[in-house]
Amino acid sequence: MDTQNITKIIEGLEQGEKLTFEAFKMLMTAGGDEKKKLMRAARACADKVYGKDIYIRGLIEFTNYCKNDCFYCGIRKSNSNAERYRLTKEQIMDCCRQGYELGFRTFVLQGGEDAYYTDERVCDMVSEIKRRYPDCAVTLSIGEKKRESYQAFFDAGADRYLLRHETANEEHYGKLHPSELSCADRKRCLWDLKAIGYQTGCGFMVGSPFQTLENIYEDLIFIKEFEPHMVGIGPFIPQKDTPFGNMAAGTLDMTLRLLSIIRLMNPNVLLPATTALGTIDPKGRELGIMSGANVVMPNLSPVNVRDKYALYDNKICTGDEAAECKNCLSLRMESIGYKVVTARGDYKVI
Ligand code: SAH
């Protein structure tokens, strides 16, 4: 494979040309200098839109009860080894207060699909956060709901919603989820969220069981068509008490290449270097930023519940207070010439 080809493919992406499957395969396998070229181009693209600023999101994992049974996930309902918890509204407000003092201007409320958190309770929580911190954005990540519920959360003040599509291919979707869940429903939720007016995020796990390069290509095409404001990708990491407990994890190499490709295909997108990426490699998040990511999401959950939100094994930062997490990430970003900023960090169009 010659350098010229890779350069051409990158230039094509920069000009908004469609990525063919053949070109995609080349980007996923190109070695040495060519791989570096891909990453450099993606980083330059992110710099053009977001400069040296890295946005931080305070992640509050407020419940690990879940009615779903996704085969990959450590908080699936069948995992009887999971120690269940849910935070009270007061505890959540306390996380926000701490976060606000530390400079967070986005709070991400993530959890399993927990029936205790009715629409009314979610709305109450969202409106209280927005009342106390009107200069902050609230992001929800609480799974699949009826359109009416999404509308109610939005009316209560929620700004953004993260719902990874997990895989754009129905057959692959079926291998990762029980039969009650479908790719079509998941996509329907995403289109509803966008139509309501949320800044919407989709995404998928890299190296999830049974995933093929064709599947990933479909993910990229779906993302292009959906035009999300955010894309969350991170390596799949096995969790020992799930049906996929013995499967191989996704790799750093593939995740970085995909971050770069997603950045080049969607120049304005908000793209986190995820905790899962930091878990499979000690420099994963720094490398993620250098490959085109522009967001990090440190944990604001109380330390005593951190290790219970165990989607996968060996998750990092479960023992650190919020302030330590923020400082650690600020230093990590500075070490590569970037800067964590105090800002809502909305989607930018330039
Ligand atoms: N219940 C919410 C939040 C899910 S957790 C929802 O349905 O959207 C957030 C994300 O973690 C999931 O979308 C999934 O992509 C990721 N995740 C779950 N298990 C994982 C694992 N074993 N390895 C890596 N990522 C995982």
Side-chain angles (χ1 to χ4, degrees):
M1 192 187 315
D2 55 324
T3 309
Q4 237 181 342
N5 269 339
I6 295 293
T7 308
K8 262 219 185 101
I9 296 170
I10 294 171
E11 281 170 7
L13 287 179
E14 285 168 340
Q15 280 148 31
E17 280 169 26
K18 187 174 185 258
L19 180 68
T20 65
F21 183 59
E22 288 311 308
F24 166 64
K25 273 198 293 194
M26 282 193 191
L27 293 179
M28 292 304 282
T29 50
D33 285 350
E34 294 172 329
K35 180 183 160 189
K36 277 193 201 128
K37 224 179 244 176
L38 168 65
M39 281 156 191
R40 253 186 257 127
R43 189 54 253 172
C45 176
D47 276 0
K48 229 188 260 170
V49 184
Y50 294 100
K52 299 291 176 189
D53 288 357
I54 300 297
Y55 297 145
I56 43 168
R57 318 299 194 197
L59 185 61
I60 305 170
E61 299 156 335
F62 70 98
T63 174
N64 73 351
Y65 283 87
C66 193
K67 71 173 166 66
N68 291 333
D69 225 4
C70 308
F71 303 147
Y72 46 84
C73 184
I75 65 167
R76 66 200 299 266
K77 89 170 158 206
S78 298
N79 182 6
S80 52
N81 287 331
E83 226 185 286
R84 304 290 168 172
Y85 75 92
R86 67 171 65 90
L87 301 182
T88 62
K89 183 181 168 192
E90 288 65 40
Q91 285 176 303
I92 295 167
M93 293 313 300
D94 211 48
C95 294
C96 294
R97 187 187 47 73
Q98 266 190 41
Y100 192 87
E101 283 165 13
L102 290 168
F104 287 88
R105 294 296 177 268
T106 294
F107 301 115
V108 181
L109 298 170
Q110 189 178 85
E113 292 193 23
D114 177 0
Y116 170 85
Y117 272 103
T118 56
D119 290 359
E120 205 185 334
R121 288 195 170 108
V122 172
C123 287
D124 178 52
M125 192 160 69
V126 169
S127 54
E128 181 66 14
I129 298 174
K130 294 293 287 192
R131 191 183 65 74
R132 287 204 211 173
Y133 308 105
D135 54 334
C136 291
V138 171
T139 305
L140 291 174
S141 179
I142 52 176
E144 294 177 33
K145 305 275 174 184
K146 292 200 293 280
R147 177 161 180 160
E148 294 72 35
S149 307
Y150 288 147
Q151 185 68 56
F153 306 153
F154 187 76
D155 295 341
D159 304 272
R160 308 182 187 139
Y161 205 104
L162 297 176
L163 186 79
R164 290 188 178 179
H165 64 282
E166 312 297 358
T167 170
N169 180 275
E170 189 74 68
E171 195 187 323
H172 184 222
Y173 200 94
K175 294 181 180 168
L176 303 179
H177 300 95
S179 57
E180 311 85 80
L181 297 173
S182 81
C183 184
D185 284 345
R186 195 94 180 158
K187 288 180 181 166
R188 191 273 305 159
C189 288
L190 280 165
W191 288 109
D192 283 350
L193 288 162
K194 216 174 159 203
I196 289 168
Y198 283 96
Q199 288 183 43
T200 307
C202 62
F204 60 94
M205 290 177 288
V206 177
S208 63
F210 316 111
Q211 184 184 55
T212 62
L213 272 187
E214 283 82 357
N215 293 153
I216 301 178
Y217 181 68
E218 264 186 73
D219 289 322
L220 297 178
I221 299 302
F222 171 71
I223 291 170
K224 192 76 194 153
E225 180 202 346
F226 183 64
E227 296 188 87
H229 304 90
M230 311 173 275
V231 176
I233 67 161
F236 160 74
I237 304 174
Q239 201 287 335
K240 59 179 176 7
D241 303 314
T242 64
F244 293 162
N246 292 318
M247 300 281 196
T251 64
L252 175 73
D253 176 72
M254 256 193 146
T255 309
L256 297 180
R257 287 176 198 262
L258 284 165
L259 283 170
S260 294
I261 297 171
I262 291 169
R263 168 62 65 203
L264 288 168
M265 290 177 77
N266 313 272
N268 304 294
V269 86
L270 294 159
L271 191 61
T274 58
T275 306
L277 187 57
T279 297
I280 59 160
D281 188 284
K283 287 269 183 289
R285 285 168 301 178
E286 290 90 323
L287 292 167
I289 299 294
M290 294 318 292
S291 304
N294 72 318
V295 175
V296 286
M297 300 174 70
N299 208 310
L300 283 184
S301 314
V303 173
N304 66 323
V305 303
R306 289 276 184 95
D307 55 341
K308 299 193 180 90
Y309 197 79
L311 307 179
Y312 48 81
D313 290 334
N314 306 316
K315 193 172 157 199
I316 53 168
C317 309
T318 54
D320 299 344
E321 291 291 347
E324 292 174 75
C325 278
K326 199 226 154 180
N327 288 339
C328 164
L329 272 171
S330 297
L331 291 171
R332 283 171 183 269
M333 295 302 113
E334 276 166 34
S335 77
I336 52 169
Y338 286 80
K339 187 165 147 274
V340 160
V341 293
T342 294
R344 267 174 60 115
D346 287 295
Y347 180 78
K348 234 188 228 178
V349 183
I350 60 155

